[in-house]
Amino acid sequence: MLGRTPGLTFWRLLGSGRGASMSVGADLRRWALLAVWRDERDLDRFLSDSPVAERWRSEARESWQVRLAPLASRGRWNGVDPFGSLPASPSGPLSASPSAPLPARPSGLLPEGARGPDPGDPGGPVAVLTRASIRPARLVAFYRSVPGVDRLLAEQDGCLASVGVGEWPLARQGTFSLWRDAAAVRDFAHRGREHRRVIGRTRAEDWYSEELFARFSPYASEGTWDGADPLA
């Protein structure tokens, strides 16, 4: 039914791993919808009128949704950039709606393009989405790198919340994270030696057949994530 929803230009239903990190096991109770809308009115109609949205609300023990204005996007998702053509304003929102309890600190790999001062810095909280298709021959190397980056992320007081998500078990993985500001994102991406080492390996050893990195300004949120709204 989602494919026939008016105004919905791109969407993915995503699973999540167990615990607080990207893992080889899945938590079947916890999932997320990543959705890009032509207009915010289309999103409002979906939330108020769609039986799909009503069923999700009735079945979820906990849910949280955030509306995001795109700031920058690099890479492709199944051959397209779903965010690059959208204006950085509420008129072209992305809606990310995880449902059920979400972990607070999974791992994430931020690409080298995240560095440096950014003229598009909104001056407040920043949301980051990373997504990659991992080459089968690089799966072991990828998952061996996760614990070190995970520990670094857990030490970042500028990370408000983060969750590991995936389309397919193991091979198509991503992260969604919320940060205090753009400076906190840059600090994580480039001051951690372990993170820099992993980023270098992803390039040198060609871990990914496709990847995407996008940043957003969160301008509205509703519900709770692990009992609280991280943007409140």
Side-chain angles (χ1 to χ4, degrees), residues 106-107 137 139 215:
S107 68
L139 285 171
R215 289 186 299 108

Side-chain angles (χ1 to χ4, degrees), residues 115-139:
R115 73 178 68 213
D118 186 352
D121 184 350
V126 173
V128 173
L129 175 70
T130 68
R131 180 263 178 188
S133 294
I134 308 163
R135 298 184 188 278
R138 299 291 181 257
L139 285 171

Side-chain angles (χ1 to χ4, degrees), residues 173-229:
Q173 298 296 311
T175 60
F176 176 76
S177 54
L178 295 166
W179 299 81
R180 182 183 57 226
D181 50 32
V185 178
R186 292 193 295 269
D187 184 69
F188 170 65
H190 302 291
R191 293 190 182 180
R193 182 170 56 184
E194 177 65 18
H195 188 266
R196 293 198 307 271
R197 185 185 69 82
V198 172
I199 291 299
R201 290 189 64 193
T202 65
R203 302 291 182 263
E205 301 173 18
D206 197 21
W207 284 7
Y208 307 141
S209 61
E210 184 182 60
E211 61 181 313
L212 180 142
F213 170 79
R215 289 186 299 108
F216 310 90
S217 176
Y219 63 90
S221 61
E222 181 181 347
T224 61
W225 177 338
D226 279 347
D229 185 344

